Amino acid sequence: MAGGEQRGERPGGPARVALQKEIGLGSACAIIIGNIIGSGIFISPKGVLEHTGSVGLALIIWVLGGGVAALGSLCYAELGVTIPKSGGDYSYVTEIFGGLAGFLLLWSAVLIMYPTSLAVIALTFSNYVLQPVFPNCIPPYNASRILSMVCLLLLTWVNSSSVRWATRIQDIFTAGKLLALALIITVGFIQIFKGNYEELTPSKAFNFWMTPSVGHLALAFLQGSFAFSGWNFLNYVTEELVDPRRNLPRAIFISIPLVTFVYTFTNIAYFTAMSPQELLSSNAVAVCLATLIIMLVGDTYTLINYVSFINYLCYGVTIIGLIVLRWKKPKIFRPIKVNLLIPVTYLAFWAFLLIFSIYSEPVVCGVGLIIILTGVPVFFLGVYWRNKPKCVNRLTESVTCWGQKLCFVVYPQDGVPEEDEVSAARSQVPASETSLRK
């Protein structure tokens, strides 16, 4: 068996396969921080500034973006311990709304959100690694693509083989990214102490070169949300988290404020070293990134709008599921129960963002919705249609078996350890100890 799986004996029953609990609080924080902080902080500042029209409002958007991510994370914390299954959004939406909704969410994630985000991150990484070798020009096209593919294949193999090694590598890279951003922030403070903060004074920071509309503000949030994407990733490995009832909310309370602080002060550092006009004239703050995806789909910021719109749509559906679950199963045991005002506030912002994003970018958002809806016929042909020809079933089973062997995965079995723990905790945890109860 792979390092992330173990066999256990059920009392009076056969052996079962389950995931090992190897992710502690430190690694949980590293997973959240490592999955949030990436190429977005070097790409999104231009998009945020472009739609806000001033430095001051752009910084406010970054702070509010962290607050919205924190609200969503708290809602996901309740779902994560109420439905203690790995798989994140997919598991929750499938459990609450049924197979079609879960399939469409996974369809959009597999086709757009994850591949696009990983491609942007890998290509940004390869460009930064190769830039010292080619200091006077953009790294060669083929070199950056080959390095990106090697990086993705290596990390895929590590994540499939061992959770322990994956979390160690995650810890190392998270520390490296934070160190790099810490250096940028330090340089920014040095610039401020030298008196180079003219763009941050109130008179200049809120000197609008354009008056942003409500639609512009919605698009600015979409651009910023690309940099914050990944805040829900810990819910995908809930079954591997040590004591998720305690460590899941703790990891959120530590990670989201830290990321918000880093992002805000990184943007402040940018404005001590360059003017808003200089920032807007570049395709990325640190490196001019030209990617295959951008050439096929459009410019970077249109791509970000695609991904962020679908991301927020999926987040909102999942959090609507939290309210539906409260209504359908009011007596289900919830080790964490957030105040109902938290999901309602998030959904109010979510509705504002989606409505005005569709109004401002109808083509971009419309294409995103169409891509999601293309999964409907696939669901009915591949999942809902039970009486398929035997040859189709044999082919599907063969491909599934091959994929399981390649990635060292098994189909989840009933009675996972977290469900047993939650059942045990039901009689052990006093109501007064549950955090964030209504």
Side-chain angles (χ1 to χ4, degrees):
M1 301 300 293
E5 300 166 4
Q6 66 180 5
R7 288 190 178 274
E9 295 289 338
R10 293 182 63 89
R16 67 181 176 192
V17 178
L19 294 167
Q20 292 181 355
K21 290 178 170 297
E22 297 182 333
I23 301 177
L25 178 60
S27 292
C29 293
I31 287 173
I32 296 176
I33 296 170
N35 279 279
I36 294 178
I37 296 178
S39 60
I41 188 58
F42 303 104
I43 297 174
S44 293
K46 175 185 173 181
V48 174
L49 183 63
E50 190 174 35
H51 291 296
T52 53
S54 75
V55 171
L57 187 54
L59 294 176
I60 291 173
I61 292 292
W62 283 104
V63 175
L64 292 178
V68 171
L71 292 177
S73 298
L74 292 174
C75 297
Y76 271 62
E78 176 177 329
L79 288 169
V81 295
T82 305
I83 306 174
K85 299 177 180 178
S86 290
D89 315 61
Y90 169 73
S91 296
Y92 312 145
V93 171
T94 302
E95 181 84 13
I96 297 168
F97 295 113
L100 177 59
F103 181 85
L104 292 179
L105 188 146
L106 196 60
W107 176 261
S108 62
V110 170
L111 282 185
I112 298 178
M113 291 187 288
Y114 301 143
T116 304
S117 299
L118 289 173
V120 172
I121 292 169
L123 287 166
T124 304
F125 169 80
S126 65
N127 274 273
Y128 274 109
V129 170
L130 293 173
Q131 194 67 60
V133 183
F134 303 93
N136 299 319
C137 63
I138 295 175
Y141 179 93
N142 290 333
S144 64
R145 269 62 184 175
I146 292 172
L147 182 58
S148 298
M149 287 188 292
V150 170
C151 175
L152 286 174
L153 289 172
L154 176 62
L155 293 178
T156 299
W157 175 78
V158 170
N159 277 275
S160 299
S161 301
S162 171
V163 172
R164 183 179 291 109
W165 276 104
T167 53
R168 286 176 180 174
I169 292 175
Q170 182 77 65
D171 293 349
I172 293 170
F173 276 91
T174 298
K177 287 185 286 188
L178 287 176
L179 178 60
L181 290 174
L183 291 174
I184 294 174
I185 293 171
T186 301
V187 171
F189 278 117
I190 292 174
Q191 290 284 89
I192 291 174
F193 291 144
K194 288 182 178 180
N196 299 323
Y197 54 84
E198 182 181 356
E199 300 294 342
L200 299 173
T201 58
S203 59
K204 292 279 289 184
F206 291 96
N207 182 20
F208 290 86
W209 58 84
M210 74 159 197
T211 302
S213 65
V214 178
H216 282 126
L217 294 179
L219 293 177
F221 270 110
L222 279 185
Q223 293 288 324
S225 70
F226 176 76
F228 279 101
S229 60
W231 53 261
N232 63 325
F233 192 83
L234 191 60
N235 289 70
Y236 285 84
V237 291
T238 304
E239 292 181 59
E240 300 164 67
L241 188 62
V242 176
D243 193 3
R245 181 178 65 85
R246 294 181 181 275
N247 286 334
L248 187 56
R250 287 177 179 176
I252 291 168
F253 288 135
I254 294 171
S255 303
I256 302 297
L258 177 59
V259 171
T260 304
F261 172 87
V262 169
Y263 277 8
T264 303
F265 279 90
T266 298
N267 277 271
I268 289 173
Y270 289 155
F271 292 118
T272 64
M274 63 180 71
S275 68
Q277 290 70 32
E278 289 172 333
L279 193 150
L280 289 171
S281 65
S282 64
N283 289 326
V285 176
V287 175
C288 293
L289 179 64
T291 71
L292 178 61
I293 298 174
I294 294 170
M295 288 189 289
L296 292 175
V297 180
D299 64 273
T300 308
Y301 305 98
T302 301
L303 181 67
I304 290 173
N305 285 339
Y306 274 118
V307 177
S308 299
F309 177 79
I310 295 176
N311 256 330
Y312 259 100
L313 182 62
C314 295
Y315 296 156
V317 170
T318 305
I319 293 175
I320 288 173
L322 183 149
I323 297 176
V324 171
L325 191 65
R326 291 268 189 102
W327 172 66
K328 290 172 64 175
K329 299 182 179 180
K331 296 183 180 179
I332 191 174
F333 178 63
R334 294 176 171 86
I336 297 173
K337 187 176 182 181
V338 299
N339 190 295
L340 196 60
L341 188 62
I342 292 177
V344 169
T345 302
Y346 183 93
L347 290 173
F349 170 81
W350 172 77
F352 153 79
L353 187 67
L354 294 190
I355 291 171
F356 284 100
S357 296
I358 293 172
Y359 174 78
S360 301
E361 292 280 1
V363 175
V364 171
C365 299
V367 170
L369 291 173
I370 290 171
I371 292 174
I372 294 176
L373 293 177
T374 58
V376 175
V378 177
F379 172 81
F380 281 100
L381 289 173
V383 180
Y384 187 80
W385 182 23
R386 300 291 184 181
N387 299 320
K388 291 186 282 289
K390 291 183 179 180
C391 60
V392 175
N393 287 330
R394 284 196 296 267
L395 176 62
T396 304
E397 290 171 1
S398 298
V399 172
T400 301
C401 184
W402 176 82
Q404 288 178 317
K405 291 178 179 178
L406 177 66
C407 300
F408 298 107
V409 296
V410 294
Y411 192 80
Q413 298 180 338
D414 294 331
V416 294
E418 283 71 18
E419 292 173 345
D420 298 340
E421 289 180 3
V422 169
S423 298
R426 189 173 298 160
S427 59
Q428 296 174 2
V429 180
S432 60
E433 292 186 9
T434 56
S435 57
L436 303 175
R437 283 195 176 276
K438 179 178 175 182

